Amino acid sequence: MNLTIENILLVGSLLLFISIIAGKTSYKFGVPTLVLFLGIGMLAGEDGIGGITFNDPHITQLIGVISLNFILFSGGLDTNWKAVKPIMKEGIALSTLGVLLTAVSLGTFVYYVTDFTIYESLLLGSIVSSTDAAAVFSILRSKNLALKTNLRPTLEMESGSNDPMAYVLTIAFLGLVVNEDQGVASMIPLFLQQMIIGGIAGFAFGKLSKIVINRIQLDFEGLYPVLVIALMFITFSATDFVGGNGFLAIYICAVYLGNQYLIHKKTILKMYDGLAWLMQIVLFLTLGLLVFPTQIIPVIGIGLVISLFLMFVARPLGVFISLIPFKMKLRRRFYISWVGLRGAVPIVFATYPLLAGIDKANMIFNIVFFISLTSILIQGTTLSIVAKWLNVGLPDTVKPQSPTDAFLSEHPKTEMREIGISNGNFAVGKKIVDLEFPKTAIIAMIKRDDKYLTPNGATVINEDDVLIVLSDTKKGIQKVYKSLNIIQPIV
């Protein structure tokens, strides 16, 4: 069946519906949801029962890039800076040196066990060198897996920030495959340019986005998430236009925004949580449609050998060497090595050789697909088991909430105070979002001229306002007085 304008919405909505229903029951059988999305796409494809003809790497790459924007941005919004800051150096080491070592060691192995040239082998190693943010975020959160100390922030930061390194390596080695007369040294300027510009642009667009979100006056609350989507794509495309890494920029931008006071932040977080899941489903369905199972079968043997080497040698080698300067228990290093999930990102990166038209492009794509599939099936289904074996997991009774869950949850407020804003208070004339209130307290109402207003982040505080403040603790009320620079009365 060929996809047309008339049937694409019907087919797409049916596949989406089937994926959601299948995902609801998948974990009862221990199967990661992402595998089901891929499987449904493959069944619907030309080699499957659906018979849908889809063989367009250009569209696949476009869908992949758009989806990764949402997935990385959502992951960045959910990153708690206080949790990430202590493991920042470890995360950077894993997402740069760890990725490079994984790519080189796997590429060297591929060179000796296949008929690939050295540059083709290193290209394959680069494509699968990074852990996949979609897979890590999805599986860790859907399993509600709680890990000791800073292990989970380390894994989420690595998966969210190492795609740029893999992207740079993929583009660099693809260039060497196409132009073999260039040397490896030509990669260094590209790497520095991508990382430096991407990092600076991400932070700059983060600060600019906060100003735009909090200063712009929109008539409808529902437009604020749309505004954030526009800012996200502007960050990615503008950074890419000036030669920086767009993926790194949007992740840094999202981490910054996720830890700031924003107008209608709850609405934005809810929307991105849903959109991230939608994009994961769409991305994996599309990749499943692009794959021809009959072309996968011939590479199962070599694919399994490469996949096992990646899991048990290349990934641990990259992790252990990159973490040498840091104090970390051996079992934590082993667990980080095991959570080296490969998912949609390597398959998206594998479309670049297809579009470049290199000789081994189809074989590289099929091997990468098989590696991603086995990684999710083997590693993704055993994360909880391995966590128990290595004693790095927390009991169910003490599982912490993610930053987004904590922000979105409605905690009961047991303390209430009426706080008057006198003449000369610094809060007069400021929006509530600019007051940087304690996160454990809310302004439920404002009494103004004998009327009660229901405020939001854009509400401006006036002189003689009386704030009706709710908090879950007395300490939270004390922080409110302190943030307003008011001496708390003795009660």
Side-chain angles (χ1 to χ4, degrees):
M1 178 176 68
N2 292 316
L3 291 177
T4 64
I5 296 176
E6 288 75 17
N7 63 26
I8 192 169
L9 287 178
L10 174 62
V11 172
S13 58
L14 285 175
L15 290 177
L16 183 62
F17 178 77
I18 293 170
S19 298
I20 293 172
I21 299 302
K24 180 178 175 62
T25 58
S26 65
Y27 276 97
K28 292 181 180 179
F29 305 98
V31 180
T33 309
L34 303 182
V35 174
L36 284 177
F37 299 159
L38 277 174
I40 292 170
M42 293 170 68
L43 285 173
E46 191 169 352
D47 280 356
I49 58 177
I52 298 174
T53 302
F54 180 78
N55 188 21
D56 194 330
H58 289 87
I59 295 178
T60 303
Q61 191 178 100
L62 176 62
I63 293 174
V65 169
I66 293 174
S67 299
L68 289 177
N69 268 261
F70 281 99
I71 293 167
L72 287 174
F73 202 87
S74 177
L77 288 176
D78 200 26
T79 299
N80 188 337
W81 175 248
K82 290 183 179 179
V84 167
K85 190 176 180 179
I87 49 87
M88 178 65 68
K89 294 180 180 179
E90 291 93 326
I92 293 175
L94 287 169
S95 61
T96 53
L97 180 60
V99 171
L100 177 62
L101 291 172
T102 301
V104 172
S105 58
L106 182 64
T108 303
F109 176 76
V110 171
Y111 176 69
Y112 284 107
V113 299
T114 67
D115 61 348
F116 285 9
T117 66
I118 184 61
Y119 288 151
E120 289 171 341
S121 301
L122 290 171
L123 172 61
L124 175 57
S126 300
I127 290 172
V128 295
S129 60
S130 68
T131 57
D132 184 62
V136 172
F137 291 152
S138 170
I139 293 177
L140 283 181
R141 292 171 189 179
S142 58
K143 286 180 175 290
N144 195 25
L145 184 59
L147 302 171
K148 291 182 178 179
T149 60
N150 292 320
L151 195 51
R152 180 159 171 164
T154 303
L155 293 169
E156 293 195 347
M157 182 194 172
E158 180 204 5
S159 65
S161 61
N162 65 5
D163 291 337
M165 182 69 176
Y167 173 80
V168 171
L169 292 175
T170 298
I171 297 301
F173 282 116
L174 180 60
L176 292 177
V177 171
V178 176
N179 302 298
E180 295 186 1
D181 55 328
Q182 294 182 355
V184 177
S186 62
M187 296 171 51
I188 298 176
L190 175 64
F191 168 76
L192 294 176
Q193 172 186 314
Q194 287 264 313
M195 292 302 183
I196 293 174
I197 296 178
I200 294 174
F203 184 71
F205 275 108
K207 292 183 74 69
L208 178 62
S209 297
K210 177 187 175 182
I211 294 172
V212 172
I213 295 168
N214 288 343
R215 294 290 179 268
I216 196 170
Q217 297 289 339
L218 299 178
D219 295 329
F220 302 100
E221 181 179 345
L223 287 176
Y224 281 88
V226 181
L227 172 65
V228 177
I229 292 176
L231 293 171
M232 176 189 72
F233 283 125
I234 290 172
T235 300
F236 176 84
S237 56
T239 304
D240 184 74
F241 180 77
V242 297
N245 193 291
F247 295 118
L248 179 62
I250 60 171
Y251 182 73
I252 292 176
C253 175
V255 171
Y256 179 83
L257 289 176
N259 290 272
Q260 301 296 314
Y261 291 87
L262 301 176
I263 292 177
H264 301 304
K265 187 175 182 179
K266 183 182 292 188
T267 303
I268 294 169
L269 289 175
K270 282 184 176 180
M271 186 216 65
Y272 262 94
D273 187 48
L275 281 178
W277 273 107
L278 173 63
M279 290 301 159
Q280 287 181 46
I281 295 173
V282 171
L283 177 55
F284 278 82
L285 282 175
T286 304
L287 294 174
L289 286 172
L290 185 66
V291 170
F292 294 88
T294 53
Q295 296 179 12
I296 300 292
I297 295 174
V299 302
I300 287 179
I302 189 63
L304 184 60
V305 171
I306 296 173
S307 184
L308 292 175
F309 184 87
L310 174 61
M311 291 181 200
F312 294 102
V313 181
R315 165 68 177 176
L317 187 68
V319 169
F320 275 78
I321 293 179
S322 60
L323 292 179
I324 286 176
F326 309 102
K327 292 182 179 180
M328 185 182 293
K329 292 182 179 179
L330 191 62
R331 61 174 180 264
R332 293 185 64 204
R333 297 173 192 254
F334 274 117
Y335 193 72
I336 291 173
S337 300
W338 190 244
V339 191
L341 297 171
R342 270 65 191 173
V345 172
I347 305 174
V348 173
F349 287 170
T351 61
Y352 285 86
L354 287 174
L355 296 178
I358 66 174
D359 293 336
K360 300 279 196 324
N362 281 318
M363 188 172 184
I364 288 175
F365 181 85
N366 291 325
I367 291 175
V368 168
F369 183 88
F370 185 79
I371 290 173
S372 295
L373 186 62
T374 53
S375 175
I376 298 175
L377 278 173
I378 297 174
Q379 294 172 298
T381 56
T382 57
L383 292 186
S384 299
I385 297 173
V386 174
K388 292 179 181 178
W389 284 351
L390 296 174
N391 193 27
V392 296
L394 290 173
D396 292 344
T397 54
V398 293
K399 285 184 177 181
Q401 286 184 308
S402 70
T404 297
D405 291 338
F407 183 84
L408 295 179
S409 62
E410 297 293 342
H411 296 292
K413 307 301 181 183
T414 58
E415 297 290 327
M416 185 181 76
R417 291 288 188 279
E418 292 188 3
I419 303 177
I421 304 299
S422 60
N423 183 23
N425 188 287
F426 83 98
V428 175
K430 288 190 175 183
K431 295 180 181 178
I432 290 177
V433 72
D434 295 327
L435 297 180
E436 299 191 355
F437 243 48
K439 295 183 179 179
T440 57
I442 61 170
I443 300 177
M445 289 185 292
I446 296 178
K447 184 179 180 182
R448 179 179 297 170
D449 299 328
D450 295 325
K451 295 181 180 179
Y452 287 92
L453 309 176
T454 302
N456 57 47
T459 302
V460 177
I461 303 297
N462 290 345
E463 182 182 332
D464 297 327
D465 278 351
V466 177
L467 311 183
I468 314 299
V469 177
L470 301 179
S471 179
D472 52 359
T473 62
K474 290 183 178 180
K475 190 175 181 180
I477 294 292
Q478 293 171 359
K479 290 181 179 179
V480 170
Y481 278 103
K482 186 176 180 180
S483 67
L484 294 171
N485 198 24
I486 298 174
I487 299 176
Q488 183 177 0
I490 300 175
V491 293

